[in-house]
Amino acid sequence: MLIMGPPGCGKGTQAERLSRRLGITGVSTGEVFRDHVKNQTPLGREVTGHLDAGDLVPDTLTNRVVRERLNQSDVKAGFLLDGYPRNTAQLAELDVILAASGQELDVALQLRVDDDELVRRLLHRATMTGRSDDTEDVIRHRLELYQQETAPVASAYLQRGILLSVDGLGSEDDIFGRLLAALRESFPEAMPDATTPG
Ligand code: ADP
């Protein structure tokens, strides 16, 4: 499965909780890139400018990273992708990657949050974590890119009948509860016992 939503919608937090609760591997492309930047790897040096500007990393690099990651053994039993695909070319590439390994996407989760709230949250996050792409201009640019590039990905999954869209306003626990409820409704057999902590 995958989780998508605009910058600041809280998908990273929810992705971590979901992968823990469901016992599946989480794969966040943003995290992978930030780790490479921190560790100053060759890939990190290539992507750092794109991250700081709030631009998408070029598809060739991103697709390679995802293809390699999804070929590792810990995702065979399932995975939760966070931050990919972010445009329709990446969507097509994900189809190819999954078909090659005999896998299939069951569900695309979407968190919905309006722009004013997103800007407010991201500016607040900037004061807490100092992420280099959390400045007002860059935030607005990332939101625009989301509308232009990534919203069509959600539309495509909606058309395929696998989009589960959830209101992203509220407390972390509220939103986690909504995501679990939506999943339980669509995949009752795949969901762990509601009393499992996580
Ligand atoms: P957010 O959704 O808040 O922008 P992410 O951690 O998902 O945060 O992504 C941070 C940055 O990493 C993006 O702005 C972009 O530069 C890069 N990135 C992450 N995923 C992708 C992707 N699938 N394609 C291109 N660039 C990506």
Side-chain angles (χ1 to χ4, degrees):
M1 63 173 76
L2 61 82
I3 186 164
M4 61 186 303
C9 72
K11 69 186 161 54
T13 308
Q14 299 297 335
E16 261 178 48
R17 288 184 70 168
L18 275 176
S19 56
R20 213 178 317 134
R21 169 68 72 95
L22 303 178
I24 56 178
T25 305
V27 175
S28 158
T29 45
E31 279 293 312
V32 169
F33 291 138
R34 280 190 292 278
D35 281 348
H36 277 275
V37 170
K38 198 168 78 198
N39 297 323
Q40 301 186 352
T41 67
L43 177 64
R45 282 192 287 277
E46 270 190 86
V47 303
T48 186
H50 301 292
L51 259 64
D52 289 351
D55 283 326
L56 295 187
V57 170
D59 287 348
T60 43
L61 291 178
T62 306
N63 290 337
R64 195 183 74 211
V65 161
V66 173
R67 195 180 317 110
E68 285 172 7
R69 186 66 190 85
L70 293 185
N71 277 324
Q72 288 168 17
S73 56
D74 60 341
V75 300
K76 292 288 175 250
F79 57 83
L80 173 57
L81 258 182
D82 161 10
Y84 185 94
R86 249 183 168 83
N87 60 29
T88 51
Q90 293 183 5
L91 181 152
E93 179 66 16
L94 180 61
D95 286 340
V96 172
I97 294 170
L98 293 180
S101 61
Q103 284 179 299
E104 204 179 335
L105 204 58
D106 291 322
V107 53
L109 296 167
Q110 182 190 39
L111 286 180
R112 296 186 315 264
V113 179
D114 68 66
D115 275 10
D116 289 345
E117 170 70 10
L118 294 171
V119 173
R120 205 182 59 70
R121 286 189 196 175
L122 289 165
L123 287 174
H124 177 70
R125 182 168 86 185
T127 64
M128 314 286 289
T129 65
R131 240 176 75 164
S132 63
D133 55 354
D134 281 347
T135 62
E136 187 151 6
D137 285 353
V138 175
I139 288 168
R140 297 213 179 269
H141 179 57
R142 284 159 60 210
L143 288 172
E144 270 169 31
L145 266 187
Y146 184 84
Q147 285 311 326
Q148 282 164 20
E149 300 282 322
T150 314
V153 173
S155 306
Y157 288 138
L158 178 66
Q159 279 192 348
R160 288 187 190 182
I162 60 167
L163 191 76
L164 282 185
S165 189
V166 161
D167 179 2
L169 272 190
S171 72
E172 250 180 66
D173 285 344
D174 287 343
I175 297 160
F176 188 55
R178 277 176 217 148
L179 288 168
L180 288 179
L183 285 169
R184 205 168 280 127
E185 205 175 294
S186 300
F187 301 96
E189 72 292 348
M191 295 298 290
D193 187 315
T195 56
T196 315

